[in-house]
């Protein structure tokens, strides 16, 4: 059945709702009136999970009928006996928390906000988008609502009007404010910039206060304002102590509106959810109700565009759904299908809701209780929302640790490979072996080890020594570069095997850095000089065998290196070095020289592995202590409460 909307548009036949089974004849008439349903005593109601506060939270229309409202705690009438709401004095406030408690709670909340703001989820692991959204929601809620509300717990109650596209939210706000504060029309969405309507005496709270402090305050919406602005409109037709906030649609075709709508919900003390008789079973409506239940928010529901002839059936279905969902005790209001004139409903259709707002305005205790319940519900939600964020954070840290382990394992394996090459003599082949044989077999070996001094500087070794030194350096470099190549390939292979994310992070890291060869050459040259110094200072090269003969440290160090890398104790280099330096000196100098070489190669590999660490750091992965700080901040908040 097509239903006329408040802006004249017919409900589209393509708008699907959930279907329900046929209602038994005896069921019809159980709910004669929405007010009677709400007023049912808890002990006789079939509503699931009845609230102990149901008596104090009944709709205002019942109070109007009885003429007074009695507080559940004090028994003091909140409304004069004549039924007219007393005018709230300017600055009506209720001190909810002592100053010391406010200070402790604010400090704990600030610590929690700082811990959350430092988080970065750089790895696109499963659930990361939800974690990022949760982080953004928590920060916005702490900044826009929780911390300001704790600091100014006596501020007016902020009531958000939320609902689906075309539900008539703006029309309802205009009707309650008795002026067109929010735009209505056929074009959807109509509300792009949030609009806040309040009593003129309450305007400073919202125009200059911290609530929704991240939004730019406006006197009227502009083309440029968009959802990042907040239009604050004063009207004397709203009672003091309560303010109405009209939000973008929760299912708007404009994606940006979804986020701002939920941000408004997170910053509200009470929610008024507006839906229609034709769309109350749609998924967006129940997603919003589920969110309200999870947050522990105080909630009222307005069911609009209800045809009088189908009211009983619709309400029966709707109440049953609410009861099954554990929301049977929430305040409910019905607006019948009626003509909208100048963007407003007939006054008779909003009388009950207007009285409900007036009751909140004059009943300080009830208003404060509603605000504190919502604030408490939000703080309670942190017990699960923040640890869930910490667990995802731990997942990011654990994945980072696994990738770091892959890097360490690959380069440790490369070091072990080099150690094996240096100890087994595999280094002495090819060019290095050819240069050694040329040097040893030419007679230069004997001539350069012992140089006679005849009052002149020691003679410089022949060209063969320089060639052999260069070949030995190049040989060690080639072993290092080959091992580094294999390590880089192994890291990339391990990362790709883990996930597509690992493959993405490994892009461009399949080979060693361009600077590796140059750095390796400098490191080996420096190591060769270090070995020369060891031979000169710790061996017998500095001692004269006779007044005419002295050992040459440069030549002897080359022979010593060959002895180190030959892998056998029977070759010419070993016998020669043993004869010149002694077996004990050979072992001592050999251990120091090999340790120094390994340290230099380790530094080269550390520089290479840092490329992978930088790739992980650039992804924005938090450190291991971030999750601990989150848990600690949550614990401190519980202590402060």
């Amino acid at each position: 059945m097509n239903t006329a909307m408040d802006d004249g548009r017919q409900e589209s036949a393509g708008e699907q709702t959930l279907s329900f089974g046929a209602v038994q004849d005896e069921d019809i008439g159980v709910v004669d009136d929405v007010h009677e349903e709400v007023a049912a005593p808890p002990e006789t109601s079939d509503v699931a999970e009845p609230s102990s506060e149901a008596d104090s939270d009944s709709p205002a229309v019942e109070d109007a009928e009885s003429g007074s409202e009695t507080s559940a705690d004090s028994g003091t009438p909140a409304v004069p006996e004549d039924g007219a709401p007393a005018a709230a004095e300017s600055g009506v406030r209720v001190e909810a928390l002592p100053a010391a408690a406010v200070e402790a709670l604010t400090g704990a909340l600030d610590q929690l906000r700082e811990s959350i703001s430092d988080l970065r989820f750089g790895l696109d692991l499963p659930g990361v988008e939800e974690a990022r959204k949760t982080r953004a929601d928590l920060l916005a809620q702490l900044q826009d609502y929780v911390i300001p509300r704790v600091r100014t717990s006596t501020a007016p109650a902020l009531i958000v009007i939320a609902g689906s596209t075309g539900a008539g939210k703006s029309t309802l706000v205009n009707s309650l404010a008795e002026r067109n504060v929010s735009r209505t029309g056929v074009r959807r969405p109509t509300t792009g910039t949030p609009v806040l309507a309040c009593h003129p005496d309450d305007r400073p709270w919202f125009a200059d206060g911290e609530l929704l402090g991240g939004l730019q305050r406006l006197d009227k919406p502009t083309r440029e304002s968009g959802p990042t602005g907040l239009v604050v409109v004063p009207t004397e037709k709203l009672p003091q102590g309560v303010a109405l906030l009209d939000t973008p649609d929760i299912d708007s075709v404009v994606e940006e509106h979804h986020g701002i709508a939920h941000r408004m919900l997170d910053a509200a003390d009470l929610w008024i959810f507006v839906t229609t008789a034709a769309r109350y079973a749609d998924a967006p409506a129940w997603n919003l109700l589920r969110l309200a239940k999870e947050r522990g928010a105080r909630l009222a529901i307005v069911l609009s565009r209800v045809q009088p002839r189908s009211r009983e059936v619709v309400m029966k279905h709707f109440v049953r759904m609410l009861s099954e969902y554990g929301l049977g005790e929430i305040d409910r209001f019905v607006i019948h299908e009626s003509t909208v004139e100048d963007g407003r409903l007939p006054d008779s259709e909003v009388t009950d809701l207007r009285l409900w707002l007036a009751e909140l305005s004059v009943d300080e205790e009830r208003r404060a209780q509603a605000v504190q319940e919502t604030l408490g519900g939000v703080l309670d939600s942190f017990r699960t929302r923040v640890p869930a964020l910490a667990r995802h954070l731990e997942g990011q840290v654990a994945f980072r640790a696994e990738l770091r382990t892959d890097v360490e394992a690959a380069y440790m394996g490369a070091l072990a490979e080099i150690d094996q090459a240096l100890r087994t003599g595999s280094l002495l082949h090819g060019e290095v072996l050819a240069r050694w044989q040329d040097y040893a077999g030419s007679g230069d070996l004997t001539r350069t080890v012992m140089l006679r001094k005849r009052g002149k500087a020691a003679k410089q070794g022949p060209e063969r020594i320089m060639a052999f030194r260069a070949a030995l350096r190049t040989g060690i470099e080639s072993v290092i570069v080959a091992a580094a190549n294999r390590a880089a390939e192994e890291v990339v292979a391990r990362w790709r095997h883990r996930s597509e994310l690992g493959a993405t992070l490994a892009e461009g890291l399949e080979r060693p850095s361009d600077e590796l060869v140059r750095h390796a050459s400098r490191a080996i040259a420096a190591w060769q000089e270090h070995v020369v110094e060891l031979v000169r200072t710790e061996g017998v090269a500095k001692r004269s065998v006779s007044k005419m003969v002295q050992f040459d440290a440069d030549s002897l160090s080359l022979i010593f290196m060959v002895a180190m890398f030959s892998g056998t104790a029977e070759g010419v280099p070993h016998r020669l070095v043993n004869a010149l330096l002694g077996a004990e000196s050979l072992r001592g100098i050999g251990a120091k020289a090999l340790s120094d070489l390994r340290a230099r190669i380790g530094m080269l590999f550390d520089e290479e592995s840092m490329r992978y660490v930088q790739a992980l750091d650039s992804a924005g992965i938090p450190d291991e202590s971030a999750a601990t700080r989150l848990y600690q901040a949550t614990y401190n908040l519980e202590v402060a409460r």
Side-chain angles (χ1 to χ4, degrees):
M1 177 180 66
N2 290 344
T3 305
M5 302 177 71
D6 63 355
D7 51 22
R9 182 173 66 87
Q10 295 295 317
E11 194 75 50
S12 171
E15 295 176 332
Q16 299 181 356
T17 61
L18 299 179
S19 60
F20 300 89
V23 181
Q24 300 294 329
D25 292 342
E26 59 268 26
D27 290 338
I28 299 178
V30 171
V31 185
D32 270 344
D33 189 276
V34 63
H35 310 305
E36 294 179 6
E37 169 67 19
V38 175
E43 62 271 18
T44 61
S45 174
D46 59 353
V47 175
E49 300 176 6
S51 169
S52 61
E53 300 164 357
D55 291 341
S56 63
D57 292 341
S58 301
V61 64
E62 298 181 24
D63 304 319
E65 293 173 358
S66 63
S68 64
E69 165 79 5
T70 302
S71 169
D73 296 329
S74 63
T76 304
V79 181
E81 292 183 358
D82 59 5
E89 298 179 2
S90 178
V92 172
R93 305 291 177 255
V94 177
E95 181 65 29
L97 290 172
V102 170
E103 182 178 358
L105 189 55
T106 301
L109 290 168
D110 283 334
Q111 180 189 7
L112 178 61
R113 178 176 58 179
E114 291 175 4
S115 299
I116 295 174
S117 64
D118 291 340
L119 299 182
R120 297 295 182 272
F121 299 105
L123 296 180
D124 292 331
L125 296 175
V128 67
E129 290 303 325
E130 182 180 351
R132 289 168 181 164
K133 183 180 183 301
T134 299
R135 173 187 175 275
D137 290 346
L138 285 169
L139 284 177
Q141 196 166 27
L142 285 166
Q143 174 181 331
D144 291 345
Y145 174 67
V146 178
I147 294 177
R149 176 53 77 188
V150 170
R151 288 175 178 167
T152 57
S153 58
T154 56
L158 180 59
I159 304 175
V160 65
I161 311 295
S164 305
T165 299
K169 302 183 300 299
S170 299
T171 301
L172 181 61
V173 172
N174 292 341
S175 302
L176 292 171
E178 296 188 30
R179 59 177 292 191
N180 289 350
V181 299
S182 192
R183 185 166 64 92
T184 63
V186 177
R187 182 174 177 268
R188 305 296 178 192
T190 54
T191 303
T193 303
V195 178
L196 189 150
C198 63
H199 190 276
D201 291 341
D202 290 336
R203 187 179 185 278
W205 285 106
F206 303 106
D208 306 319
E210 293 182 279
L211 286 169
L212 294 171
L215 300 181
Q216 180 185 5
R217 294 326 194 243
L218 304 170
D219 293 328
K220 60 181 180 180
T222 64
R223 292 181 179 272
E224 295 77 19
S225 58
T228 59
L230 177 64
V231 180
V232 181
V233 181
T235 172
E236 294 184 352
K237 298 300 181 179
L238 285 178
Q240 190 177 0
V242 294
L244 301 180
L245 179 60
D246 187 16
T247 67
D249 304 325
I250 58 173
D251 57 351
S252 171
V253 295
V254 181
E255 187 68 26
E256 190 179 13
H257 288 182
H258 299 173
I260 197 67
H262 283 278
R263 183 175 178 181
M264 299 299 100
L265 292 170
D266 285 342
D269 298 304
L270 295 93
W271 296 12
I272 294 180
F273 175 65
V274 184
T275 187
T276 66
R279 302 188 62 183
Y280 66 84
D282 286 358
W286 291 93
N287 288 339
L288 188 64
L289 292 174
R290 175 184 57 80
L291 180 62
K293 186 178 179 181
E294 290 175 353
R295 301 290 171 83
R298 288 294 297 270
L299 180 68
I301 291 182
V302 174
L303 189 62
S304 68
R305 301 198 190 98
V306 178
Q307 295 286 350
R309 64 178 179 273
S310 61
R311 169 176 174 147
E312 291 183 359
V313 175
V314 170
M315 286 304 301
K316 175 62 178 179
H317 283 178
F318 192 33
V319 170
R320 179 182 297 171
M321 292 179 69
L322 290 173
S323 298
E324 291 175 353
Y325 208 68
L327 296 173
E329 292 297 320
I330 62 176
D331 296 332
R332 298 184 293 273
F333 303 90
V334 174
I335 296 177
H336 296 95
E337 185 71 54
S338 55
T339 303
V340 176
E341 295 182 1
D342 193 24
R344 305 180 210 172
L345 295 163
D347 191 65
S348 60
E349 293 297 331
V350 295
T351 299
D352 293 347
L353 191 54
R354 195 188 305 280
L355 287 173
W356 184 76
L357 293 175
E359 181 184 351
L360 282 177
S361 171
V362 299
D363 191 341
E364 300 176 23
E365 184 176 351
R366 184 174 181 182
R367 186 174 71 250
Q369 180 185 10
V371 170
Q372 291 173 14
E373 282 184 6
T374 299
L375 178 60
V378 173
L379 294 177
D380 288 344
S381 74
F382 289 171
R383 295 171 179 169
T384 56
R385 294 162 69 194
V386 176
L389 203 62
R391 286 191 293 273
H392 184 85
L393 184 63
E394 289 172 334
Q396 294 250 328
V397 172
F399 190 76
R400 173 197 173 107
E402 291 172 358
L403 299 183
R404 285 292 303 271
T405 300
D406 291 339
V407 176
E408 293 170 0
Y411 281 95
M412 286 296 292
L415 274 176
E417 179 184 328
I418 292 175
D419 281 344
Q420 182 72 7
L422 297 181
R423 294 179 186 276
T424 59
S426 59
L427 178 66
L428 297 178
H429 69 280
E431 180 70 14
V432 178
L433 181 59
R435 291 293 180 183
W436 163 249
Q437 291 174 342
D438 183 44
Y439 173 55
S442 63
D444 287 341
L445 175 61
T446 305
R447 288 193 298 271
T448 56
V449 168
M450 294 184 293
L451 299 176
R452 295 184 179 276
K453 299 176 63 178
R454 301 184 182 278
K456 297 181 180 180
K459 296 180 180 179
Q460 188 174 7
E463 185 176 331
R464 289 188 179 89
I465 293 181
M466 306 301 295
F468 177 50
R469 178 186 291 272
L472 189 59
R473 182 175 67 249
T474 303
I476 300 175
E477 290 172 12
S478 65
V479 171
I480 294 173
V481 172
N485 266 297
R486 284 187 286 273
E489 292 172 357
E490 182 179 349
V491 171
V492 172
R494 285 171 177 252
W495 284 16
R496 286 174 175 169
H497 180 71
R498 288 194 181 278
S499 66
E500 292 184 4
L501 174 59
T504 301
L505 292 172
E507 289 181 0
L509 300 175
E510 299 87 351
R511 295 288 181 270
S513 65
D514 296 336
E515 296 81 15
L516 176 62
V517 174
R518 179 167 55 88
H519 291 169
S521 178
R522 293 171 56 184
I524 301 308
W527 175 75
Q528 287 179 326
E529 293 299 325
H530 177 69
V531 174
V532 172
E533 189 64 23
L534 283 176
V535 171
R536 179 179 291 116
T537 58
E538 299 194 17
V540 296
K542 61 182 180 179
R543 301 203 311 265
S544 295
V545 178
S546 68
K547 293 182 178 180
M548 302 300 294
V549 178
Q550 187 179 43
F551 293 108
D552 176 51
D554 291 333
S555 301
L556 191 55
S557 66
L558 286 175
I559 302 170
F560 176 77
M561 294 176 199
V562 174
M564 281 178 55
F565 302 145
S566 64
T568 175
E570 301 300 329
V572 173
H574 273 279
R575 293 198 298 271
L576 182 58
V577 174
N578 273 331
L580 296 176
L581 302 180
E584 185 176 350
S585 294
L586 175 60
R587 286 191 296 270
I589 297 175
K592 291 181 179 179
L594 193 60
S595 176
D596 184 78
L597 177 60
R598 196 178 189 282
R600 294 177 191 270
I601 298 174
M603 291 178 63
L604 290 174
F605 284 176
D606 286 344
E607 292 178 1
E608 288 296 300
S609 63
M610 281 303 297
R611 298 186 305 139
Y612 302 93
V613 176
Q614 290 168 358
L616 296 177
D617 290 342
S618 64
I621 307 170
D623 59 40
E624 291 78 358
S625 62
T628 303
R629 290 195 297 270
L630 269 184
Y631 286 122
Q632 185 64 49
T634 307
Y635 173 78
N636 292 342
L637 177 60
E638 289 299 308
V639 172
R641 292 181 65 185

